[in-house]
């Protein structure tokens, strides 16, 4: 076949072409040779000489399709309303397939004539020139003619019948109309506009979806009113969830996928959002009874409704808080700290698992768990002035686990419990109080060699460092360093004694500790007259130390020292580890069998409280016998020469290592002083950076910087500001008493 343009008889060619078009659009048999000839005829008309006939071909094709659809319309209407949907679907199925074939037949016209005149996709999407009067590709033209010639006159009647079919399916779970006809008819409203670059769903949404949603909304309202008559919230929620699932299934069966979220939303609006007060009426009972299935149903219904979850979240928060307070209130006995931490962890794990299981780990509920735990852990007594005991109790819990006295627990269990304790630690506001207590207890464990495992100690400090940063654990690390250096120092002291051929008569070991790293202030240092057996050892060490470290000052903390004392006056020898003051009291009985408390006090230069404490511990252990129950200055103490014990080697310092109320008070006072210094330093840093700052802005910045370690009170911050004004670090600006400036 020659591709050279030639003269074509349009009427003769169109007559042949029209027959083939009819066969194609009605899905009749069109032989391949005929198809090929008509394909060539389209080409010939488009390139005809002397004048191309593409526009005339387009016009005749459009007229033919318009007339064809008009005939189909009459045929659809002939069957009446009873067969309208079925007939429409039948003719649409044939026509839509035929339109695709016709589009292929007119390929040359589409590609070379129509497409070159069309607007680009970008111009169509973003609003280019006016598209009115623009020629469409033949496939698009066929669909547009169907829309205007078939859907426009039948649309509302079709939609009425379709909605009736869907309502019938709601009532009886089946329809008199074939499902494929209902679905095919509905989807035809989308398919007829698939050629559009934008607004493909517009016809579907306006013609069918909007009436369908309105009709469904009325149905949901009626269903909700019927279900509410039972006044059973659990049953209502189950029915609503079943209804939503049923509607989604129906939507998938009949509708375009874009309608699925809309029908769900409409159902939730009329059956959930409009009846929130009814659902909330049982919310508290469900939460308190921990009815998991009901709570899960309520969560699933409320999560999609804007702002509906807040009541459930608040109720869960209050419940966890009340359960937490019940778990930790009224705890008594020696193991309060153990019950406190483990009860809290039990509550935390229980409700964390419940949130994962029932609320799918929703962040709103995780936030409620965090708030509840924080409230319980930082709970203050009713007076509001006393600090929370959580930091102290958690520190004691860690101390109990890390001490050698821990029995019946494996190392892995200890490690797991310490790891879990960090959960409680993260919720504590006053982390600086925990740090004080923890460092005091760590110091005692290290000094009295009570540590179960140095690896466990370091692992715990690393956990604290991960939670709060290096600065928080800096002093704790330095305590470990001091213990290591003290070991080296003892070896050098031993070498020094050996080189000078000095025999002290006793084994003498010391720990040299940095005053800034260890939690022992000068206030703990008390007067004490060293027993003569120790004087030479102390003097020799001081001489050795000052030769090597010029300018350093040694302060002896005798109340923290301990000694191993061999008793040889009994029926069998005993080797006993005890506190220095206990040893000093026993050594006084080396030359006599009886002394009064007053004589011991005057000789050793101890105060009454210390004599009471340490002498009483020896009486309780039955090394000494007292002639009165209550020890006083005149109480006579005698050496118990009949003392007997199955063990020949043991320790009696445990009784005096316990934290006394005075030590707790001293720790709290120390925290208070540290906070004042911390806040003053923070204020100076902020003011140095900002130069001038309003009072409220300064308070906010100080609170933000301090929250890592503790939550400062506003009165304390104000006192620190006043102190810094007195020290002339900052001053009030001349034009406002509520504004401060930095004094350079």
């Amino acid at each position: 076949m020659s591709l050279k343009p030639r003269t074509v008889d349009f009427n003769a060619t169109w007559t042949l072409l029209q027959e083939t078009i009819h066969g194609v659009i009605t899905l009749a048999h069109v032989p391949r040779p005929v198809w090929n000839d008509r394909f060539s005829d389209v080409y010939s008309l488009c390139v005809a000489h002397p004048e191309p006939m593409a526009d005339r071909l387009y016009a005749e094709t459009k007229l033919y399709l318009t007339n064809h659809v008009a005939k189909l319309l009459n045929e659809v209407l002939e069957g009446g309303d009873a067969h309208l949907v079925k007939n429409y679907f039948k003719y649409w199925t044939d026509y839509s397939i035929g339109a695709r074939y016709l589009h292929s037949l007119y390929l040359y016209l589409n590609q070379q004539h129509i497409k070159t005149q069309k607007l680009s996709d970008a111009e169509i999407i973003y609003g280019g020139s006016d598209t009115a009067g623009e020629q469409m590709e033949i496939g698009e033209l066929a669909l547009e003619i169907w829309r205007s010639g078939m859907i426009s006159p039948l649309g509302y009647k079709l939609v009425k019948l379709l909605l009736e079919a869907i309502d019938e399916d709601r009532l009886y779970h089946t329809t008199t109309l074939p499902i494929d006809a209902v679905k095919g008819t509905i989807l035809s409203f989308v398919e007829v506009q698939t050629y559009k670059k934008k607004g493909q769903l517009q016809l579907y949404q306006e013609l069918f979806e909007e009436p369908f949603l309105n009709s469904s909304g009325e149905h949901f309202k009626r269903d909700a009113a019927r279900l509410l008559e039972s006044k059973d919230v659990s049953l209502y929620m189950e029915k609503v969830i079943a209804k939503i699932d049923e509607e989604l299934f129906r939507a998938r069966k009949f509708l375009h996928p874009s309608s699925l979220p809309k029908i769900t939303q409409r159902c939730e609006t009329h059956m959930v959002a409009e009846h929130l007060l009814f659902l909330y009426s049982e919310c508290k009972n469900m939460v308190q009874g921990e009815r998991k299935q009901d709570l899960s149903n309520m969560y699933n219904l409320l999560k999609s409704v804007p702002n509906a979850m807040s009541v459930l979240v608040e109720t869960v928060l209050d419940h966890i808080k009340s359960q937490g307070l019940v778990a930790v209130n009224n705890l008594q006995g020696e193991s309060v700290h153990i019950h406190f931490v483990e009860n809290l962890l039990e509550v935390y794990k229980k409700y964390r698992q419940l949130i994962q299981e029932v609320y799918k780990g929703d962040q709103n509920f995780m936030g409620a768990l965090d708030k509840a735990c924080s409230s319980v852990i930082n709970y203050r007594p009713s007076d509001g002035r006393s600090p929370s005991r959580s930091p102290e109790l958690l520190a004691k819990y860690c101390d109990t686990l890390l001490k050698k006295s821990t029995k019946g627990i494996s190392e892995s269990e200890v490690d797991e419990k310490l790891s879990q304790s960090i959960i409680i630690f993260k919720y504590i506001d006053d982390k600086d109080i925990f740090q004080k207590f923890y460092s005091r207890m760590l110091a005692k464990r290290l000094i009295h060699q009570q540590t179960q495992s140095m690896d466990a100690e370091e692992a715990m400090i690393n956990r604290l460092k991960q939670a709060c940063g290096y600065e928080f654990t800096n002093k704790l690390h330095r305590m470990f360093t001091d213990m290591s250096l003290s070991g080296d120092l003892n070896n050098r002291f031993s070498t020094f004694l050996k080189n000078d051929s000095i025999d002290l008569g006793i084994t003498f070991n010391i720990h040299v500790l940095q005053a800034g790293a260890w939690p022992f202030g000068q206030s703990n240092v008390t007067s004490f007259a060293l027993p003569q057996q120790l004087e030479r050892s102390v003097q020799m060490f001081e001489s050795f130390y000052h030769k090597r470290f010029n300018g350093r000052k040694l302060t002896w903390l005798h109340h923290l020292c301990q000694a191993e004392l061999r008793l040889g006056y009994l029926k069998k020898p005993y080797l006993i580890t005890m506190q220095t003051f206990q040893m000093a009291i026993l050594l006084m009985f080396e030359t006599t069998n009886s002394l009064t408390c007053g004589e011991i006090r005057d000789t050793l230069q101890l105060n009454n409280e210390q004599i009471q404490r340490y002498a009483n511990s020896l009486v309780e252990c039955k090394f000494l016998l007292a002639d009165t129950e209550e020890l006083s200055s005149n109480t006579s103490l005698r050496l118990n020469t009949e003392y007997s014990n199955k063990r020949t080697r043991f320790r009696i310092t445990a009784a005096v290592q316990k934290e006394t109320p005075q030590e707790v008070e001293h720790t709290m006072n120390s925290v208070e002083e540290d906070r004042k210094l911390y806040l003053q330093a923070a204020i100076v840093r902020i003011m140095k950076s900002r130069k001038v700052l309003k009072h409220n802005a300064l308070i906010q910045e100080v609170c933000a910087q301090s929250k890592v370690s503790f939550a400062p009170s506003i009165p304390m911050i104000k006192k620190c500001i006043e102190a810094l004004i007195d020290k002339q670090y900052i001053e009030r600006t001349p034009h406002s008493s509520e504004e401060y400036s930095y004094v350079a």
Side-chain angles (χ1 to χ4, degrees):
M1 179 187 75
S2 172
L3 295 177
K4 184 178 179 181
R6 57 189 175 86
T7 304
V8 181
D9 182 347
F10 181 85
N11 291 329
T13 305
W14 171 246
T15 301
L16 295 171
L17 189 57
Q18 189 174 8
E19 289 178 15
T20 305
I21 290 171
H22 182 74
V24 169
I25 205 71
T26 57
L27 300 185
H29 177 65
V30 177
R32 172 59 64 181
V34 173
W35 173 275
N36 292 338
D37 290 344
R38 299 297 84 78
F39 192 88
S40 301
D41 289 342
V42 170
Y43 169 77
S44 299
L45 290 171
C46 290
V47 298
H49 183 78
E51 188 71 33
M53 300 178 186
D55 289 337
R56 188 175 175 188
L57 173 62
Y58 181 86
E60 290 292 341
T61 305
K62 182 176 180 180
L63 179 61
Y64 170 80
L65 289 172
T66 303
N67 292 334
H68 177 69
V69 170
K71 287 178 187 175
L72 294 180
L73 175 63
N74 291 329
E75 290 179 25
V76 169
L77 288 169
E78 280 176 6
D81 287 356
H83 300 283
L84 189 69
V85 173
K86 194 192 298 185
N87 287 342
Y88 171 90
F89 175 65
K90 173 180 174 296
Y91 287 116
W92 159 250
T93 304
D94 292 348
Y95 182 84
S96 60
I97 296 170
R100 288 201 295 273
Y101 289 139
L102 193 63
H103 185 76
S104 300
L105 184 65
Y106 277 75
L107 182 64
Y108 188 83
L109 178 69
N110 292 332
Q111 294 286 348
Q112 301 302 320
H113 180 68
I114 296 173
K115 260 196 176 178
T116 54
Q117 301 172 19
K118 289 180 74 172
L119 297 173
S120 68
D121 291 351
E123 288 174 319
I124 294 169
I125 294 170
Y126 299 110
S129 307
D130 184 17
T131 57
E134 184 186 89
Q135 287 184 344
M136 306 170 76
E137 292 181 38
I138 297 303
E140 299 171 358
L141 177 66
L143 294 176
E144 177 58 25
I145 289 171
W146 181 270
R147 185 199 65 76
S148 58
M150 183 70 76
I151 294 177
S152 289
L154 290 182
Y156 292 107
K157 190 180 287 189
L158 277 173
V159 168
K160 180 175 176 293
L161 294 169
L162 293 169
L163 293 179
E164 287 174 1
I166 291 172
D167 280 339
E168 188 182 2
D169 188 74
R170 282 193 177 115
L171 286 173
Y172 308 112
H173 300 288
T174 185
T175 63
T176 51
L177 295 175
I179 291 174
D180 59 343
V182 175
K183 182 171 186 175
T185 301
I186 292 169
L187 292 183
S188 74
F189 303 149
V190 178
E191 291 165 5
V192 81
Q193 292 199 317
T194 49
Y195 66 87
K196 289 193 171 184
K197 299 300 179 186
K198 62 177 182 177
Q200 293 178 346
L201 297 176
Q202 185 178 355
L203 175 65
Y204 167 77
Q205 290 168 347
E206 291 175 356
L207 180 62
F208 173 78
E209 188 180 68
E210 194 173 332
F212 166 74
L213 292 175
N214 292 335
S215 167
S216 298
E218 294 303 315
H219 169 76
F220 297 145
K221 285 179 184 178
R222 291 193 298 272
D223 252 21
R226 178 175 56 79
L227 293 172
L228 285 169
E229 290 174 2
S230 69
K231 299 191 183 327
D232 186 332
V233 176
S234 298
L235 181 63
Y236 180 82
M237 291 192 301
E238 287 174 9
K239 295 288 186 185
V240 171
I241 288 171
K243 184 68 180 173
I244 292 172
D245 290 342
E246 181 189 317
E247 287 297 323
L248 278 174
F249 177 77
R250 184 170 293 108
R252 290 190 188 96
K253 187 163 68 170
F254 291 121
L255 310 184
H256 188 267
S258 66
S259 296
L260 268 63
K262 295 177 185 177
I263 190 65
T264 303
Q265 188 267 334
R266 191 63 69 100
C267 186
E268 287 168 347
T269 298
H270 297 304
M271 302 192 83
V272 180
E274 292 176 1
H275 304 288
L276 288 177
L277 291 178
F278 173 68
L279 294 174
Y280 292 155
S281 65
E282 192 64 18
C283 181
K284 190 172 183 180
N285 292 335
M286 288 179 183
V287 171
Q288 289 180 344
E290 296 178 11
R291 288 147 54 182
K292 291 184 180 180
Q293 186 57 54
D294 284 342
L295 290 173
S296 179
N297 289 343
M298 185 172 281
Y299 169 73
N300 288 329
L301 289 176
L302 296 180
K303 66 181 178 182
S304 301
V305 179
N307 306 318
M309 198 79 78
S310 56
V311 172
L312 180 58
V313 172
E314 282 299 317
T315 309
V316 169
L317 189 154
D318 291 340
H319 177 65
I320 298 174
K321 193 187 299 183
S322 65
Q323 291 299 300
L325 289 173
V326 167
V328 299
N329 279 348
N330 304 318
L331 294 176
Q332 294 177 341
E334 289 289 315
S335 56
V336 168
H337 54 288
I338 296 173
H339 293 312
F340 176 85
V341 174
E342 293 187 350
N343 288 2
L344 275 179
L345 284 171
E346 194 175 322
V347 169
Y348 173 83
K349 289 175 186 174
K350 175 185 175 182
Y351 288 104
R352 183 180 173 83
Q353 185 179 352
L354 186 140
I355 288 168
Q356 293 289 349
E357 186 180 331
V358 175
Y359 306 117
K360 311 295 185 290
D362 189 300
Q363 287 306 306
N364 291 310
F365 292 93
M366 292 306 293
L369 175 64
D370 289 342
K371 285 180 184 176
C373 289
S374 179
S375 177
V376 172
I377 290 169
N378 297 296
Y379 177 77
R380 294 171 183 265
S382 53
D383 60 10
R385 296 178 183 175
S386 306
S388 166
R389 288 199 65 201
S390 302
E392 178 190 351
L393 294 174
L394 181 61
K396 283 185 178 178
Y397 179 75
C398 295
D399 183 56
T400 303
L401 291 172
L402 290 165
K403 268 185 179 177
K404 277 184 180 175
S405 57
T406 306
K407 292 180 181 177
I409 305 179
S410 66
E411 279 189 31
S412 61
E413 287 176 309
V414 168
D415 189 65
E416 177 62 24
K417 284 176 180 284
L418 289 171
S419 178
Q420 292 294 308
S421 70
I422 294 296
I423 294 171
I424 305 297
F425 172 74
K426 287 178 179 177
Y427 288 115
I428 290 176
D429 285 342
D430 299 326
K431 291 183 171 63
D432 56 338
I433 297 179
F434 170 85
Q435 200 257 8
K436 279 287 181 189
F437 278 105
Y438 188 88
S439 62
R440 288 183 69 84
M441 293 169 187
L442 171 61
K444 287 186 178 183
R445 291 197 299 274
L446 293 176
I447 290 170
H448 297 303
Q449 297 171 2
Q450 286 285 292
T451 293
Q452 176 90 350
S453 161
M454 293 299 279
D455 289 342
E457 293 280 7
E458 290 190 22
M460 184 62 191
I461 291 172
N462 286 332
R463 292 188 188 102
L464 294 173
K465 182 164 70 175
Q466 285 177 355
C468 276
Y470 175 75
E471 190 177 335
F472 185 83
T473 57
N474 183 26
K475 290 183 178 179
L476 304 180
H477 283 296
R478 282 163 62 191
M479 288 162 71
F480 276 97
T481 304
D482 284 354
M483 295 303 290
S484 175
L485 293 175
S486 293
D488 294 338
L489 196 61
N490 276 310
N491 292 334
R492 288 159 66 184
F493 181 54
S494 298
T495 305
F496 163 76
L497 294 175
K498 190 182 289 184
N499 291 341
D500 288 8
S501 303
I502 299 170
D503 183 12
L504 298 177
I506 61 171
T507 304
F508 186 71
N509 287 310
I510 49 81
H511 297 305
V512 178
L513 316 175
Q514 299 176 61
W518 292 74
F520 307 126
Q522 293 294 322
S523 59
N524 290 329
V525 179
T526 57
S527 60
F528 173 58
L530 270 173
Q532 128 183 23
Q533 293 90 334
L534 289 174
E535 281 183 2
R536 186 161 177 260
S537 300
V538 169
Q539 289 170 1
M540 289 304 299
F541 181 78
E542 286 186 344
S543 173
F544 159 79
Y545 189 81
H546 289 311
K547 281 180 182 176
R548 278 156 182 74
F549 304 102
N550 189 23
R552 292 189 186 178
K553 180 186 175 185
L554 286 176
T555 302
W556 292 88
L557 303 177
H558 297 294
H559 65 290
L560 294 173
C561 300
Q562 60 183 20
E564 273 192 345
L565 190 63
R566 185 180 297 277
L567 303 184
Y569 63 91
L570 298 166
K571 292 177 182 176
K572 57 181 178 181
Y574 293 93
L575 191 63
I576 306 162
T577 303
M578 61 182 69
Q579 279 253 342
T580 305
F581 294 159
Q582 292 169 320
M583 177 198 67
I585 293 170
L586 277 181
L587 286 175
M588 289 185 67
F589 288 90
E590 201 163 20
T591 54
T592 180
N593 286 338
S594 178
L595 288 167
T596 65
C597 286
E599 288 171 336
I600 295 172
R601 180 194 63 209
D602 296 340
T603 304
L604 296 179
Q605 297 177 21
L606 295 173
N607 58 40
N608 286 327
E609 187 258 326
Q610 288 172 322
I611 286 293
Q612 287 269 348
R613 185 179 178 189
Y614 293 102
N616 201 45
S617 67
L618 292 172
V619 171
E620 285 178 0
C621 294
K622 299 182 180 178
F623 285 111
L624 297 178
L625 302 173
D627 57 4
T628 60
E629 276 195 32
E630 290 291 326
L631 297 186
S632 66
S633 296
N634 297 322
T635 300
S636 176
L637 298 174
R638 303 187 315 280
L639 201 60
N640 181 9
T641 54
E642 300 300 318
Y643 178 82
S644 177
N645 196 322
K646 289 180 181 178
R647 297 165 63 194
T648 58
R649 185 168 188 162
F650 53 92
R651 178 188 296 271
I652 61 168
T653 54
V656 291
Q657 282 181 22
K658 291 177 183 175
E659 198 92 347
T660 63
Q662 292 82 0
E663 284 179 313
V664 172
E665 186 180 350
H666 172 75
T667 302
M668 296 307 296
N669 292 337
S670 172
V671 168
E672 196 75 10
E673 291 304 313
D674 286 352
R675 284 184 175 183
K676 288 176 184 175
L677 293 173
Y678 182 94
L679 290 174
Q680 289 182 24
I683 293 165
V684 171
R685 274 199 310 272
I686 293 165
M687 291 306 302
K688 189 174 183 180
S689 169
R690 299 302 185 88
K691 305 304 180 194
V692 177
L693 206 58
K694 294 277 188 187
H695 174 80
N696 288 340
L698 178 58
I699 296 283
Q700 286 177 0
E701 289 213 32
V702 171
C703 289
Q705 285 195 15
S706 307
K707 68 181 179 183
V708 177
S709 297
F710 65 99
S713 65
I714 305 302
M716 181 184 279
I717 299 175
K718 288 179 178 177
K719 284 180 183 177
C720 291
I721 291 172
E722 294 298 329
L724 289 171
I725 291 172
D726 292 340
K727 294 175 184 176
Q728 297 184 348
Y729 281 96
I730 60 175
E731 63 183 7
R732 289 186 172 86
T733 56
H735 55 276
S736 174
S737 61
E738 289 293 303
E739 190 174 61
Y740 307 106
S741 62
Y742 177 68
V743 179

